[in-house]
Amino acid sequence: MEPYCQTIRQPVTGRFAPTPSGRLHLGNLLCCLLAYLSVRSRGGRFLLRIEDLDVPRCPRKAGLQVLEDLSWFGFRWDEPPLFQSERSAIYQRHLDALQKKGLIYPCFCTRAQLMASAAPNLGDTQVVYQRTCAHLSPREAERLAQTRRPAMRLRVPDEVVSFRDGLYGEQAENLATDCGDFILRRSDGLFGYQLAVVVDDALSGVSEVVRGRDILSATPRQIYLLRELGYPVPQYVHIPLLMDANGRRLAKRDRDLDLTALSRRFTPQELLGRLAFSAGLLPEERPATLEELIRLFDWAKVLHEDLRLPASLTAHD
Ligand code: GLU
């Protein structure tokens, strides 16, 4: 495959978009590091967005802590950070535009009804929606709306959406059969991640999205949304997941791998060096500065398989 970095346009604008539902952990930092190095090594712009849509789970102080933590590492962003919790009016405007195109319909199904429908599983909690509410008459919808606030779903076509991922190559998904009509605004009024992420990336001029491989399967949905909203599609690079030294995926519950604990035991350079080593960017485990990593960054060096953290990070002295 042609090396990714030779195929993209310049100047590039990248971003890091964490959900601050806890303190940043090393998986988030690896993502930020690769997104940052990728654009900075080509003289590009780097933006930061705090994805705190789910306000009860993402308190303001957790978002502010992210800014502090990233600054501690020396990351710098080129515009004031966006907080999604402040952008509901913008998301609503986009939802209205999709509604005008006849692509949105209200869905009154409860979670229990959704889980009970005999549809193929997308994961532990997602099912392909069987379009129960897609055929409601306006009168029926109005009647149901008197007792229950609906979620808003996007109608997807029976069509394959494909893209070329920077690390994982060609990807394709049939929206109707692999994903189904998905929610853009939840019944509690919160906007869905898929809508917010594409609106924000588009309005910020993001041309390169670097993020965890766990989001790869959402990308065709986002490409479809971008297309319907009339926005350009960025280049996507999904990165391998970071496992602990025992091969377990890192999670928010691993408190000893979040920055509260790590910043007491290591300097920023020690952590950056270890992350760069796990990703394949450094041949040995040693401290490194961001400037040095920018100079030696190359997507061709980044490993594709799940990454193991060095045991030195997990072993306590
Ligand atoms: N907010 C998402 C997360 O923290 C990432 C979204 C994205 O990069 O598109 O997992």
Side-chain angles (χ1 to χ4, degrees):
M1 195 165 84
E2 204 180 341
Y4 160 63
C5 54
Q6 288 178 10
T7 64
I8 41 159
R9 300 181 304 271
Q10 300 207 13
V12 62
T13 299
R15 50 66 157 186
F16 175 51
T19 301
S21 56
R23 193 93 187 250
L24 287 180
H25 63 66
L26 287 171
N28 304 127
L29 282 166
L30 175 71
C31 184
C32 183
L33 179 64
L34 294 180
Y36 191 81
L37 298 179
S38 178
V39 295
R40 291 296 197 225
S41 61
R42 285 172 285 152
R45 283 155 38 83
F46 182 74
L47 308 177
L48 179 63
R49 178 168 76 237
I50 304 298
E51 300 213 317
D52 56 352
L53 279 176
D54 193 345
V55 177
R57 280 183 54 234
C58 303
R60 185 73 176 188
K61 70 174 190 325
L64 296 174
Q65 181 71 57
V66 168
L67 309 189
E68 204 175 297
D69 287 341
L70 295 179
S71 302
W72 183 71
F73 280 97
F75 292 111
R76 300 282 175 263
W77 37 95
D78 295 309
E79 282 176 20
L82 293 186
F83 284 76
Q84 289 190 327
S85 56
E86 296 169 355
R87 295 170 60 78
S88 298
I90 298 173
Y91 306 138
Q92 184 62 51
R93 213 172 65 222
H94 286 80
L95 190 70
D96 293 345
L98 293 166
Q99 188 139 29
K100 278 209 189 89
K101 293 181 84 177
L103 291 173
I104 304 288
Y105 63 90
C107 172
F108 297 88
C109 295
T110 61
R111 195 174 166 72
Q113 284 168 327
L114 294 174
M115 298 312 286
S117 66
N121 275 317
L122 278 179
D124 289 345
T125 54
Q126 268 181 301
V127 290
V128 173
Y129 184 57
Q130 296 300 287
R131 295 208 154 145
T132 320
C133 292
H135 314 292
L136 290 177
S137 68
R139 251 180 84 196
E140 186 70 355
E142 214 168 285
R143 190 183 62 77
L144 289 168
Q146 281 163 11
T147 51
R148 186 174 156 77
R149 188 174 177 180
M152 292 301 194
R153 280 189 191 269
L154 180 76
R155 216 180 277 279
V156 297
D158 184 8
E159 186 188 315
V160 174
V161 171
S162 53
F163 70 101
R164 183 160 181 257
D165 184 78
L167 273 191
Y168 294 105
E170 286 305 321
Q171 306 289 322
E173 185 177 281
N174 180 301
L175 290 178
T177 55
D178 298 335
C179 147
D181 295 349
F182 56 97
I183 291 181
L184 296 188
R185 202 182 69 203
R186 296 179 356 187
S187 58
D188 61 6
L190 290 183
F191 286 95
Y193 155 71
Q194 315 293 349
L195 178 67
V197 82
V198 305
V199 167
D200 288 341
D201 281 340
L203 296 183
S204 311
V206 167
S207 58
E208 179 180 275
V209 170
V210 175
R211 59 189 180 190
R213 207 194 54 197
D214 51 331
I215 308 182
L216 193 140
S217 66
T219 306
R221 265 173 277 177
Q222 296 181 7
I223 292 175
Y224 174 64
L225 261 177
L226 285 166
R227 208 172 77 194
E228 290 303 326
L229 289 167
Y231 289 133
V233 175
Q235 169 69 51
Y236 293 97
V237 194
H238 291 87
I239 62 166
L241 300 179
L242 194 57
M243 306 289 167
D244 67 14
N246 302 317
R248 269 190 335 139
R249 187 168 164 202
L250 299 187
K252 296 242 156 79
R253 62 176 181 274
D254 295 319
R255 285 281 153 75
D256 54 342
L257 291 178
D258 79 18
L259 277 178
T260 311
L262 289 172
S263 60
R264 285 196 204 110
R265 297 169 53 217
F266 298 100
T267 64
Q269 291 72 33
E270 284 169 337
L271 290 171
L272 290 172
R274 282 170 166 91
L275 282 173
F277 169 69
S278 336
L281 291 173
L282 280 181
E284 70 278 317
E285 205 183 314
R286 63 168 170 82
T289 63
L290 275 176
E291 291 65 35
E292 178 188 1
L293 295 174
I294 289 171
R295 279 196 302 278
L296 54 78
F297 181 77
D298 184 350
W299 276 113
K301 293 183 195 159
V302 176
L303 304 171
H304 292 202
E305 63 273 21
D306 287 339
L307 305 176
R308 288 286 174 104
L309 271 181
S312 60
L313 277 177
T314 38
H316 288 267
D317 337 290

